[in-house]
Amino acid sequence: MNNVDNISRKTLFSLTIPIFLELLLVTVVGNIDTIMLGYYSDKAVGAIGGITQLLNIQNVIFSFVNMATAILTAQFLGAKDFKRVKQVISVSLVLNVVLGLILGGIYLFFWRSLLQRINLPEELVEIGKYYFQMVGGLCIFQGVILSCGAILKSHGRPTETLIINVGVNVLNILGNGMFIFGWLGMPILGTTGVGISTVVSRGIGCIVAFYMMCKYCNFTFRKGLIKPFPFKIVKNILSIGLPTAGENLAWNIGQLMVVAMVNTMGTTIIASRTYLMLISNFIMTLSIALGQGTAIQVGHLVGAGEKKEVYNKCLKSVKIAFVFAFVATSIVCLLRKPIMSIFTTNPDILAASLKIFPLMIILEMGRVFNIVIISSLHAAGDIKFPMFMGITCVFTVAVLFSYIFGILFAWGLVGIWIANAMDEWIRGIAMYFRWKSKKWQNKSFI
């Protein structure tokens, strides 16, 4: 177990760069279906865009286990308590497998009711229903991949998760090409074919991720690790994960409510938002990577009792991410016409989308505070304050003002982007002052 010493010697960027490349590939994998379907049909893009927002709920539920796993593993590694590291890994895998089976059943049998609740037009429901059933029904693959990825990164092995996602990405692209463009003589199946491709690539990725996690984290699953069942580990996972899940779940439910508003504005606006969200996902990848890299260091330092070094690491990461967000969104804004032309030539979609890009600069700069500082607060054990602010702001700011600006004032996507920018900035400023207060210093789980 040399991982602790290795991580203590690693710089922020040596951790961040592999995580950034991994997240970039995860973003590509998560959006490759949308990107490639753009060459097939804008309506297919609209269908998958609405469905993806609903499927994000599964990632939120998996993430509450994975985030808690990463935090506890990092702190126990810092404390050199290797037995509890193995117990955390075992419990994490068991929980995500169980959650994957439950969620898969819900998606598989209640798909129509779920899609109707987000006001997805019936035409788009028919286009995307088989994709939703397949990708949602077999979400257990995604749960295991995410769990193994979190464990590998907490052991200072972000490069291995990058390799896994490269493989999944390549397989997904090849599969999509076969079923969208008819490569190798395969039938053109549209969204159904994309669903097949996504499930197969994730299934293979799941097997590889588990193998690499066992190999590089010196882990072998044994019944003795969960007998007697380590309820204290479960309690710690839940004490970290449930508030975090509440925060993320509230945000995703809020976004589903916003999507339901967008879905009343017609297929042009639905497709426009899908493309804009895809671009935003790419922009925020470095901020997320910096947040995760910082959180790994924070968790290990807190576990080792070296709290004095923690404070400045987070603030330095915020400054770097803030500058990047401004530069990246400004470049994207300047190049918005050629960027949008990659996805569509529909003049109505272009007209609705292009005016949003200046607002994207404001929103993404505010989002930096939340991405980086919340990751560090979680790694230090400060869970409840981000949860409270997240749940409060998403409904009283993002959802409420999306309705006021987007629906009542009839500003459409412009109003919705303004409302979401308000939410990010209010929460971001609150997180900044929380970190400056140092109230997180006495909330470690060790």
Side-chain angles (χ1 to χ4, degrees), residues 179-365:
F179 293 118
I180 294 175
F181 306 120
W183 293 354
L184 302 177
M186 297 297 288
I188 296 175
L189 299 177
T191 55
T192 301
V194 169
I196 294 170
S197 172
T198 301
V199 166
V200 170
S201 61
R202 286 181 179 176
I204 295 171
C206 169
I207 296 169
V208 174
F210 182 75
Y211 168 77
M212 293 183 79
M213 185 273 294
C214 291
K215 178 180 179 180
Y216 292 106
C217 299
N218 300 315
F219 175 78
T220 302
F221 186 83
R222 301 191 307 271
K223 289 184 180 180
L225 293 171
I226 56 174
K227 283 188 176 182
F229 198 76
F231 286 104
K232 186 174 181 181
I233 298 290
V234 175
K235 181 181 177 182
N236 282 339
I237 287 177
L238 295 178
S239 67
I240 300 169
L242 287 180
T244 304
E247 173 191 344
N248 292 334
L249 190 60
W251 188 87
N252 275 273
I253 290 172
Q255 289 303 305
L256 277 175
M257 294 171 73
V258 171
V259 166
M261 298 176 205
V262 172
N263 288 345
T264 65
M265 300 177 186
T267 55
T268 295
I269 301 300
I270 295 171
S272 298
R273 181 188 178 276
T274 301
Y275 289 129
L276 290 166
M277 291 301 295
L278 186 154
I279 294 166
S280 293
N281 287 339
F282 280 104
I283 291 171
M284 71 175 81
T285 51
L286 182 59
S287 298
I288 296 173
L290 281 165
Q292 290 190 10
T294 306
I296 291 169
Q297 291 188 322
V298 167
H300 282 262
L301 290 168
V302 168
E306 300 177 18
K307 296 181 180 179
K308 289 183 180 180
E309 294 185 41
V310 173
Y311 179 77
N312 289 327
K313 283 188 178 292
C314 175
L315 296 180
K316 180 181 178 181
S317 296
V318 171
K319 291 176 184 177
I320 296 169
F322 192 83
V323 171
F324 173 80
F326 175 73
V327 172
T329 50
S330 296
I331 293 172
V332 168
C333 185
L334 289 172
L335 300 176
R336 58 188 179 275
K337 288 184 179 180
I339 288 172
M340 282 302 300
S341 68
I342 295 171
F343 305 115
T344 183
T345 57
N346 185 308
D348 295 328
I349 293 176
L350 291 173
S353 302
L354 291 176
K355 57 189 174 184
I356 302 299
F357 282 80
L359 296 172
M360 199 179 286
I361 299 174
I362 300 171
L363 188 150
E364 296 304 330
M365 290 174 67

Side-chain angles (χ1 to χ4, degrees), residues 50 54 112-125 256-267 270:
L54 190 54
R112 182 172 292 278
S113 175
L114 291 169
L115 294 178
Q116 288 174 343
R117 286 183 180 277
I118 61 169
N119 294 329
L120 195 67
E122 188 62 30
E123 178 185 14
L124 300 188
V125 170
L256 277 175
M257 294 171 73
V258 171
V259 166
M261 298 176 205
V262 172
N263 288 345
T264 65
M265 300 177 186
T267 55
I270 295 171

Side-chain angles (χ1 to χ4, degrees), residues 33 48 51 55 128-136 191 194-195 198:
D33 298 342
I48 298 305
I51 287 169
L55 287 174
K129 62 184 180 182
Y130 295 121
Y131 174 91
F132 183 58
Q133 286 177 299
M134 283 186 285
V135 176
T191 55
V194 169
T198 301

